[in-house]
Amino acid sequence: MLRVRDQKDRKAFAALFTHFAPRIKGFLIKSGADAAMAEECAQDVMTTLWHKSGQFDPTRASVATWIFTIARNRRIDMLRRQRRPEPEELTWGPEPEPDQADTITLMQETEQLKAAMIALPDAQRELIEKAYFGDLSQAEIAKITGLPLGTIKSRIRLALERLRHAMK
């Protein structure tokens, strides 16, 4: 990897490709990708490895860890792209009016959720509001509040459990 990074050595890259491409494909298939997606993703990972080899730092991660992290991230990106509707699939024009019973049910559930949120301890409610209404990640919340990330995760998990229980 160092020869690829420092000298753009094609033979070293070929050796990396031969070693890692089948392993990446197998990793992706085991994680639920179909063979075609795994093949495409493996090719993309190896292309990224070549183009971004200058970012490899052996003091931060091993070659395998670095490559499989790229593979994992590529798979997530591909899954996100698959879930986006194509423009032809999007509905156009006004949505039909919702059924009155659905509207009433939604209003009741909203009131039930408000009551459940108010019943949460302040520390948990504030974190839920930051995470779900403020659209902050747990790491961002930890940075803002100064609380350890594990505390943030625990409080949010406990709060969500309480909310689930209250909404039943």
Side-chain angles (χ1 to χ4, degrees):
M1 184 62 212
L2 295 177
R3 290 194 336 244
V4 172
R5 181 188 74 183
D6 299 338
Q7 302 160 4
K8 289 294 186 188
D9 185 326
R10 291 178 184 266
K11 287 183 181 178
F13 177 74
L16 282 172
F17 192 97
T18 302
H19 179 78
F20 281 107
R23 287 167 175 79
I24 293 168
K25 184 176 176 183
F27 165 74
L28 295 168
I29 289 172
K30 285 180 185 172
S31 66
D34 62 37
M37 176 193 260
E39 180 71 31
E40 179 182 346
C41 194
Q43 293 287 331
D44 189 44
V45 168
M46 296 311 292
T47 302
T48 300
L49 182 139
W50 176 259
H51 290 294
K52 298 199 177 197
S53 61
Q55 295 178 3
F56 174 69
D57 182 357
T59 62
R60 294 183 64 204
S62 69
V63 175
T65 301
W66 189 63
I67 291 172
F68 281 95
T69 299
I70 294 170
R72 179 186 152 276
N73 293 340
R74 279 295 178 275
R75 179 163 190 285
I76 291 169
D77 291 344
M78 290 181 139
L79 288 172
R80 284 182 181 148
R81 274 183 280 177
Q82 283 180 341
R83 290 188 182 127
R84 288 194 182 131
E86 292 296 320
E88 302 85 48
E89 297 172 14
L90 296 173
T91 58
W92 298 100
E95 292 287 324
E97 289 293 318
D99 182 37
Q100 190 173 7
D102 291 340
T103 303
I104 291 171
T105 300
L106 181 60
M107 288 173 45
Q108 290 170 340
E109 287 175 350
T110 302
E111 290 304 315
Q112 188 179 4
L113 181 58
K114 279 183 193 175
M117 286 288 293
I118 290 169
L120 286 175
D122 290 341
Q124 291 178 1
R125 184 176 58 253
E126 289 171 13
L127 295 178
I128 291 291
E129 288 171 351
K130 283 178 174 40
Y132 292 94
F133 302 124
D135 205 26
L136 297 172
S137 71
Q138 292 176 344
E140 291 169 329
I141 295 169
K143 190 181 287 184
I144 291 168
T145 62
L147 293 170
L149 182 59
T151 301
I152 301 293
K153 290 180 178 190
S154 295
R155 287 184 184 171
I156 288 175
R157 182 182 48 78
L158 290 170
L160 289 174
E161 187 60 37
R162 285 183 175 175
L163 291 173
R164 266 188 226 102
H165 181 71
M167 295 301 290
K168 285 185 180 177

PDB file of all heavy atoms in Angstrom, residues 1-27:
ATOM      1  N   MET A   1       0.827  -1.185   0.000  1.00  0.00           N
ATOM      2  CA  MET A   1       0.000   0.000   0.000  1.00  0.00           C
ATOM      3  C   MET A   1       0.873   1.251   0.000  1.00  0.00           C
ATOM      4  O   MET A   1       0.539   2.225  -0.649  1.00  0.00           O
ATOM      5  CB  MET A   1      -0.938  -0.030   1.221  1.00  0.00           C
ATOM      6  CG  MET A   1      -1.917   1.109   1.257  1.00  0.00           C
ATOM      7  SD  MET A   1      -3.027   1.089  -0.166  1.00  0.00           S
ATOM      8  CE  MET A   1      -3.293   2.821  -0.358  1.00  0.00           C
ATOM      9  N   LEU A   2       1.966   1.194   0.726  1.00  0.00           N
ATOM     10  CA  LEU A   2       2.855   2.360   0.769  1.00  0.00           C
ATOM     11  C   LEU A   2       3.445   2.655  -0.607  1.00  0.00           C
ATOM     12  O   LEU A   2       3.605   3.821  -0.976  1.00  0.00           O
ATOM     13  CB  LEU A   2       3.960   2.147   1.801  1.00  0.00           C
ATOM     14  CG  LEU A   2       3.481   2.050   3.257  1.00  0.00           C
ATOM     15  CD1 LEU A   2       4.648   1.764   4.182  1.00  0.00           C
ATOM     16  CD2 LEU A   2       2.745   3.310   3.664  1.00  0.00           C
ATOM     17  N   ARG A   3       3.750   1.604  -1.384  1.00  0.00           N
ATOM     18  CA  ARG A   3       4.264   1.826  -2.746  1.00  0.00           C
ATOM     19  C   ARG A   3       3.187   2.448  -3.628  1.00  0.00           C
ATOM     20  O   ARG A   3       3.489   3.292  -4.469  1.00  0.00           O
ATOM     21  CB  ARG A   3       4.787   0.518  -3.342  1.00  0.00           C
ATOM     22  CG  ARG A   3       6.074   0.053  -2.670  1.00  0.00           C
ATOM     23  CD  ARG A   3       6.823  -1.031  -3.414  1.00  0.00           C
ATOM     24  NE  ARG A   3       6.070  -1.855  -4.321  1.00  0.00           N
ATOM     25  CZ  ARG A   3       5.888  -3.169  -4.175  1.00  0.00           C
ATOM     26  NH1 ARG A   3       6.420  -3.805  -3.153  1.00  0.00           N
ATOM     27  NH2 ARG A   3       5.193  -3.845  -5.053  1.00  0.00           N
ATOM     28  N   VAL A   4       1.941   2.039  -3.433  1.00  0.00           N
ATOM     29  CA  VAL A   4       0.840   2.637  -4.205  1.00  0.00           C
ATOM     30  C   VAL A   4       0.702   4.098  -3.801  1.00  0.00           C
ATOM     31  O   VAL A   4       0.581   4.990  -4.643  1.00  0.00           O
ATOM     32  CB  VAL A   4      -0.485   1.870  -3.983  1.00  0.00           C
ATOM     33  CG1 VAL A   4      -1.644   2.599  -4.619  1.00  0.00           C
ATOM     34  CG2 VAL A   4      -0.371   0.452  -4.520  1.00  0.00           C
ATOM     35  N   ARG A   5       0.716   4.349  -2.489  1.00  0.00           N
ATOM     36  CA  ARG A   5       0.542   5.709  -1.982  1.00  0.00           C
ATOM     37  C   ARG A   5       1.680   6.629  -2.417  1.00  0.00           C
ATOM     38  O   ARG A   5       1.443   7.729  -2.905  1.00  0.00           O
ATOM     39  CB  ARG A   5       0.461   5.689  -0.454  1.00  0.00           C
ATOM     40  CG  ARG A   5       0.258   7.084   0.152  1.00  0.00           C
ATOM     41  CD  ARG A   5       0.370   7.079   1.634  1.00  0.00           C
ATOM     42  NE  ARG A   5       1.790   6.945   2.004  1.00  0.00           N
ATOM     43  CZ  ARG A   5       2.226   6.860   3.232  1.00  0.00           C
ATOM     44  NH1 ARG A   5       1.374   6.866   4.239  1.00  0.00           N
ATOM     45  NH2 ARG A   5       3.507   6.735   3.490  1.00  0.00           N
ATOM     46  N   ASP A   6       2.913   6.165  -2.228  1.00  0.00           N
ATOM     47  CA  ASP A   6       4.056   7.042  -2.428  1.00  0.00           C
ATOM     48  C   ASP A   6       4.558   7.106  -3.869  1.00  0.00           C
ATOM     49  O   ASP A   6       5.102   8.128  -4.285  1.00  0.00           O
ATOM     50  CB  ASP A   6       5.210   6.603  -1.523  1.00  0.00           C
ATOM     51  CG  ASP A   6       4.837   6.675  -0.043  1.00  0.00           C
ATOM     52  OD1 ASP A   6       3.895   7.433   0.304  1.00  0.00           O
ATOM     53  OD2 ASP A   6       5.467   5.963   0.762  1.00  0.00           O
ATOM     54  N   GLN A   7       4.382   6.007  -4.624  1.00  0.00           N
ATOM     55  CA  GLN A   7       4.973   5.951  -5.957  1.00  0.00           C
ATOM     56  C   GLN A   7       3.959   5.653  -7.057  1.00  0.00           C
ATOM     57  O   GLN A   7       4.341   5.524  -8.218  1.00  0.00           O
ATOM     58  CB  GLN A   7       6.066   4.885  -5.978  1.00  0.00           C
ATOM     59  CG  GLN A   7       7.145   5.122  -4.957  1.00  0.00           C
ATOM     60  CD  GLN A   7       7.940   3.850  -4.649  1.00  0.00           C
ATOM     61  OE1 GLN A   7       7.731   2.807  -5.254  1.00  0.00           O
ATOM     62  NE2 GLN A   7       8.845   3.948  -3.693  1.00  0.00           N
ATOM     63  N   LYS A   8       2.696   5.491  -6.696  1.00  0.00           N
ATOM     64  CA  LYS A   8       1.653   5.093  -7.668  1.00  0.00           C
ATOM     65  C   LYS A   8       2.104   3.845  -8.433  1.00  0.00           C
ATOM     66  O   LYS A   8       1.968   3.742  -9.651  1.00  0.00           O
ATOM     67  CB  LYS A   8       1.318   6.225  -8.645  1.00  0.00           C
ATOM     68  CG  LYS A   8       0.554   7.366  -8.026  1.00  0.00           C
ATOM     69  CD  LYS A   8      -0.814   6.939  -7.594  1.00  0.00           C
ATOM     70  CE  LYS A   8      -1.639   8.102  -7.112  1.00  0.00           C
ATOM     71  NZ  LYS A   8      -2.897   7.703  -6.529  1.00  0.00           N
ATOM     72  N   ASP A   9       2.623   2.892  -7.691  1.00  0.00           N
ATOM     73  CA  ASP A   9       3.162   1.650  -8.239  1.00  0.00           C
ATOM     74  C   ASP A   9       2.004   0.758  -8.711  1.00  0.00           C
ATOM     75  O   ASP A   9       1.217   0.262  -7.919  1.00  0.00           O
ATOM     76  CB  ASP A   9       3.987   0.943  -7.154  1.00  0.00           C
ATOM     77  CG  ASP A   9       4.696  -0.298  -7.663  1.00  0.00           C
ATOM     78  OD1 ASP A   9       4.147  -1.005  -8.544  1.00  0.00           O
ATOM     79  OD2 ASP A   9       5.795  -0.581  -7.161  1.00  0.00           O
ATOM     80  N   ARG A  10       1.942   0.551 -10.024  1.00  0.00           N
ATOM     81  CA  ARG A  10       0.845  -0.235 -10.611  1.00  0.00           C
ATOM     82  C   ARG A  10       0.936  -1.718 -10.241  1.00  0.00           C
ATOM     83  O   ARG A  10      -0.083  -2.372 -10.066  1.00  0.00           O
ATOM     84  CB  ARG A  10       0.819  -0.065 -12.126  1.00  0.00           C
ATOM     85  CG  ARG A  10       0.412   1.339 -12.538  1.00  0.00           C
ATOM     86  CD  ARG A  10       0.436   1.502 -14.053  1.00  0.00           C
ATOM     87  NE  ARG A  10       0.131   2.861 -14.423  1.00  0.00           N
ATOM     88  CZ  ARG A  10      -1.090   3.295 -14.731  1.00  0.00           C
ATOM     89  NH1 ARG A  10      -2.099   2.462 -14.711  1.00  0.00           N
ATOM     90  NH2 ARG A  10      -1.285   4.550 -15.061  1.00  0.00           N
ATOM     91  N   LYS A  11       2.131  -2.253 -10.146  1.00  0.00           N
ATOM     92  CA  LYS A  11       2.274  -3.663  -9.770  1.00  0.00           C
ATOM     93  C   LYS A  11       1.816  -3.889  -8.334  1.00  0.00           C
ATOM     94  O   LYS A  11       1.168  -4.884  -8.038  1.00  0.00           O
ATOM     95  CB  LYS A  11       3.720  -4.134  -9.957  1.00  0.00           C
ATOM     96  CG  LYS A  11       4.113  -4.299 -11.402  1.00  0.00           C
ATOM     97  CD  LYS A  11       5.509  -4.831 -11.535  1.00  0.00           C
ATOM     98  CE  LYS A  11       5.864  -4.950 -13.020  1.00  0.00           C
ATOM     99  NZ  LYS A  11       7.217  -5.410 -13.213  1.00  0.00           N
ATOM    100  N   ALA A  12       2.139  -2.964  -7.458  1.00  0.00           N
ATOM    101  CA  ALA A  12       1.699  -3.072  -6.060  1.00  0.00           C
ATOM    102  C   ALA A  12       0.178  -2.968  -5.986  1.00  0.00           C
ATOM    103  O   ALA A  12      -0.471  -3.701  -5.231  1.00  0.00           O
ATOM    104  CB  ALA A  12       2.348  -1.980  -5.214  1.00  0.00           C
ATOM    105  N   PHE A  13      -0.381  -2.081  -6.811  1.00  0.00           N
ATOM    106  CA  PHE A  13      -1.837  -1.958  -6.839  1.00  0.00           C
ATOM    107  C   PHE A  13      -2.477  -3.244  -7.367  1.00  0.00           C
ATOM    108  O   PHE A  13      -3.487  -3.702  -6.825  1.00  0.00           O
ATOM    109  CB  PHE A  13      -2.275  -0.762  -7.697  1.00  0.00           C
ATOM    110  CG  PHE A  13      -3.767  -0.644  -7.801  1.00  0.00           C
ATOM    111  CD1 PHE A  13      -4.525  -0.194  -6.726  1.00  0.00           C
ATOM    112  CD2 PHE A  13      -4.429  -1.003  -8.967  1.00  0.00           C
ATOM    113  CE1 PHE A  13      -5.899  -0.092  -6.814  1.00  0.00           C
ATOM    114  CE2 PHE A  13      -5.805  -0.908  -9.060  1.00  0.00           C
ATOM    115  CZ  PHE A  13      -6.550  -0.447  -7.981  1.00  0.00           C
ATOM    116  N   ALA A  14      -1.875  -3.827  -8.395  1.00  0.00           N
ATOM    117  CA  ALA A  14      -2.401  -5.089  -8.944  1.00  0.00           C
ATOM    118  C   ALA A  14      -2.401  -6.175  -7.869  1.00  0.00           C
ATOM    119  O   ALA A  14      -3.353  -6.962  -7.758  1.00  0.00           O
ATOM    120  CB  ALA A  14      -1.593  -5.523 -10.159  1.00  0.00           C
ATOM    121  N   ALA A  15      -1.345  -6.216  -7.059  1.00  0.00           N
ATOM    122  CA  ALA A  15      -1.279  -7.208  -5.977  1.00  0.00           C
ATOM    123  C   ALA A  15      -2.365  -6.935  -4.933  1.00  0.00           C
ATOM    124  O   ALA A  15      -3.033  -7.859  -4.461  1.00  0.00           O
ATOM    125  CB  ALA A  15       0.106  -7.187  -5.326  1.00  0.00           C
ATOM    126  N   LEU A  16      -2.561  -5.663  -4.588  1.00  0.00           N
ATOM    127  CA  LEU A  16      -3.634  -5.309  -3.646  1.00  0.00           C
ATOM    128  C   LEU A  16      -4.998  -5.683  -4.225  1.00  0.00           C
ATOM    129  O   LEU A  16      -5.852  -6.224  -3.526  1.00  0.00           O
ATOM    130  CB  LEU A  16      -3.613  -3.805  -3.344  1.00  0.00           C
ATOM    131  CG  LEU A  16      -2.567  -3.311  -2.370  1.00  0.00           C
ATOM    132  CD1 LEU A  16      -2.556  -1.788  -2.323  1.00  0.00           C
ATOM    133  CD2 LEU A  16      -2.811  -3.876  -0.986  1.00  0.00           C
ATOM    134  N   PHE A  17      -5.183  -5.395  -5.498  1.00  0.00           N
ATOM    135  CA  PHE A  17      -6.449  -5.699  -6.162  1.00  0.00           C
ATOM    136  C   PHE A  17      -6.719  -7.200  -6.135  1.00  0.00           C
ATOM    137  O   PHE A  17      -7.815  -7.642  -5.774  1.00  0.00           O
ATOM    138  CB  PHE A  17      -6.434  -5.180  -7.603  1.00  0.00           C
ATOM    139  CG  PHE A  17      -7.778  -5.197  -8.257  1.00  0.00           C
ATOM    140  CD1 PHE A  17      -8.551  -4.057  -8.282  1.00  0.00           C
ATOM    141  CD2 PHE A  17      -8.276  -6.354  -8.847  1.00  0.00           C
ATOM    142  CE1 PHE A  17      -9.808  -4.061  -8.886  1.00  0.00           C
ATOM    143  CE2 PHE A  17      -9.519  -6.376  -9.447  1.00  0.00           C
ATOM    144  CZ  PHE A  17     -10.293  -5.224  -9.462  1.00  0.00           C
ATOM    145  N   THR A  18      -5.721  -7.969  -6.509  1.00  0.00           N
ATOM    146  CA  THR A  18      -5.863  -9.425  -6.540  1.00  0.00           C
ATOM    147  C   THR A  18      -6.201  -9.977  -5.159  1.00  0.00           C
ATOM    148  O   THR A  18      -7.016 -10.896  -5.031  1.00  0.00           O
ATOM    149  CB  THR A  18      -4.571 -10.078  -7.069  1.00  0.00           C
ATOM    150  OG1 THR A  18      -4.308  -9.560  -8.377  1.00  0.00           O
ATOM    151  CG2 THR A  18      -4.684 -11.583  -7.126  1.00  0.00           C
ATOM    152  N   HIS A  19      -5.594  -9.403  -4.148  1.00  0.00           N
ATOM    153  CA  HIS A  19      -5.822  -9.888  -2.785  1.00  0.00           C
ATOM    154  C   HIS A  19      -7.166  -9.415  -2.223  1.00  0.00           C
ATOM    155  O   HIS A  19      -7.923 -10.211  -1.649  1.00  0.00           O
ATOM    156  CB  HIS A  19      -4.680  -9.425  -1.873  1.00  0.00           C
ATOM    157  CG  HIS A  19      -4.848  -9.866  -0.453  1.00  0.00           C
ATOM    158  ND1 HIS A  19      -4.576 -11.152  -0.040  1.00  0.00           N
ATOM    159  CD2 HIS A  19      -5.284  -9.201   0.641  1.00  0.00           C
ATOM    160  CE1 HIS A  19      -4.833 -11.259   1.252  1.00  0.00           C
ATOM    161  NE2 HIS A  19      -5.264 -10.086   1.695  1.00  0.00           N
ATOM    162  N   PHE A  20      -7.473  -8.121  -2.368  1.00  0.00           N
ATOM    163  CA  PHE A  20      -8.624  -7.557  -1.660  1.00  0.00           C
ATOM    164  C   PHE A  20      -9.944  -7.580  -2.434  1.00  0.00           C
ATOM    165  O   PHE A  20     -11.007  -7.681  -1.810  1.00  0.00           O
ATOM    166  CB  PHE A  20      -8.333  -6.125  -1.209  1.00  0.00           C
ATOM    167  CG  PHE A  20      -7.495  -6.061   0.023  1.00  0.00           C
ATOM    168  CD1 PHE A  20      -6.161  -5.681  -0.046  1.00  0.00           C
ATOM    169  CD2 PHE A  20      -8.019  -6.391   1.262  1.00  0.00           C
ATOM    170  CE1 PHE A  20      -5.376  -5.632   1.089  1.00  0.00           C
ATOM    171  CE2 PHE A  20      -7.247  -6.349   2.400  1.00  0.00           C
ATOM    172  CZ  PHE A  20      -5.921  -5.969   2.316  1.00  0.00           C
ATOM    173  N   ALA A  21      -9.931  -7.467  -3.750  1.00  0.00           N
ATOM    174  CA  ALA A  21     -11.192  -7.383  -4.505  1.00  0.00           C
ATOM    175  C   ALA A  21     -12.119  -8.572  -4.218  1.00  0.00           C
ATOM    176  O   ALA A  21     -13.306  -8.377  -3.921  1.00  0.00           O
ATOM    177  CB  ALA A  21     -10.928  -7.222  -5.998  1.00  0.00           C
ATOM    178  N   PRO A  22     -11.640  -9.822  -4.263  1.00  0.00           N
ATOM    179  CA  PRO A  22     -12.546 -10.940  -3.962  1.00  0.00           C
ATOM    180  C   PRO A  22     -13.027 -10.920  -2.501  1.00  0.00           C
ATOM    181  O   PRO A  22     -14.167 -11.286  -2.210  1.00  0.00           O
ATOM    182  CB  PRO A  22     -11.712 -12.195  -4.217  1.00  0.00           C
ATOM    183  CG  PRO A  22     -10.479 -11.760  -4.907  1.00  0.00           C
ATOM    184  CD  PRO A  22     -10.325 -10.300  -4.694  1.00  0.00           C
ATOM    185  N   ARG A  23     -12.168 -10.486  -1.601  1.00  0.00           N
ATOM    186  CA  ARG A  23     -12.552 -10.427  -0.189  1.00  0.00           C
ATOM    187  C   ARG A  23     -13.600  -9.352   0.050  1.00  0.00           C
ATOM    188  O   ARG A  23     -14.521  -9.530   0.843  1.00  0.00           O
ATOM    189  CB  ARG A  23     -11.314 -10.184   0.679  1.00  0.00           C
ATOM    190  CG  ARG A  23     -10.429 -11.423   0.768  1.00  0.00           C
ATOM    191  CD  ARG A  23      -9.062 -11.114   1.351  1.00  0.00           C
ATOM    192  NE  ARG A  23      -8.275 -12.321   1.531  1.00  0.00           N
ATOM    193  CZ  ARG A  23      -7.625 -12.947   0.575  1.00  0.00           C
ATOM    194  NH1 ARG A  23      -7.672 -12.496  -0.660  1.00  0.00           N
ATOM    195  NH2 ARG A  23      -6.932 -14.042   0.833  1.00  0.00           N
ATOM    196  N   ILE A  24     -13.457  -8.217  -0.627  1.00  0.00           N
ATOM    197  CA  ILE A  24     -14.448  -7.147  -0.518  1.00  0.00           C
ATOM    198  C   ILE A  24     -15.787  -7.638  -1.059  1.00  0.00           C
ATOM    199  O   ILE A  24     -16.830  -7.436  -0.436  1.00  0.00           O
ATOM    200  CB  ILE A  24     -13.988  -5.885  -1.290  1.00  0.00           C
ATOM    201  CG1 ILE A  24     -12.765  -5.282  -0.614  1.00  0.00           C
ATOM    202  CG2 ILE A  24     -15.113  -4.867  -1.395  1.00  0.00           C
ATOM    203  CD1 ILE A  24     -12.064  -4.221  -1.445  1.00  0.00           C
ATOM    204  N   LYS A  25     -15.744  -8.303  -2.210  1.00  0.00           N
ATOM    205  CA  LYS A  25     -16.985  -8.816  -2.805  1.00  0.00           C
ATOM    206  C   LYS A  25     -17.647  -9.806  -1.852  1.00  0.00           C
ATOM    207  O   LYS A  25     -18.864  -9.733  -1.621  1.00  0.00           O
ATOM    208  CB  LYS A  25     -16.691  -9.483  -4.151  1.00  0.00           C
ATOM    209  CG  LYS A  25     -17.941  -9.943  -4.870  1.00  0.00           C
ATOM    210  CD  LYS A  25     -17.612 -10.519  -6.237  1.00  0.00           C
ATOM    211  CE  LYS A  25     -18.872 -11.056  -6.897  1.00  0.00           C
ATOM    212  NZ  LYS A  25     -18.590 -11.675  -8.189  1.00  0.00           N
ATOM    213  N   GLY A  26     -16.885 -10.705  -1.273  1.00  0.00           N
ATOM    214  CA  GLY A  26     -17.438 -11.667  -0.317  1.00  0.00           C
ATOM    215  C   GLY A  26     -18.018 -10.977   0.903  1.00  0.00           C
ATOM    216  O   GLY A  26     -19.101 -11.329   1.382  1.00  0.00           O
ATOM    217  N   PHE A  27     -17.306  -9.985   1.423  1.00  0.00           N
ATOM    218  CA  PHE A  27     -17.772  -9.205   2.570  1.00  0.00           C
ATOM    219  C   PHE A  27     -19.118  -8.553   2.258  1.00  0.00           C
ATOM    220  O   PHE A  27     -20.044  -8.583   3.073  1.00  0.00           O
ATOM    221  CB  PHE A  27     -16.710  -8.157   2.916  1.00  0.00           C
ATOM    222  CG  PHE A  27     -17.179  -7.053   3.822  1.00  0.00           C
ATOM    223  CD1 PHE A  27     -17.376  -7.292   5.173  1.00  0.00           C
ATOM    224  CD2 PHE A  27     -17.398  -5.780   3.329  1.00  0.00           C
ATOM    225  CE1 PHE A  27     -17.792  -6.274   6.017  1.00  0.00           C
ATOM    226  CE2 PHE A  27     -17.816  -4.760   4.161  1.00  0.00           C
ATOM    227  CZ  PHE A  27     -18.011  -5.006   5.505  1.00  0.00           C
TER     228      PHE A  27
END
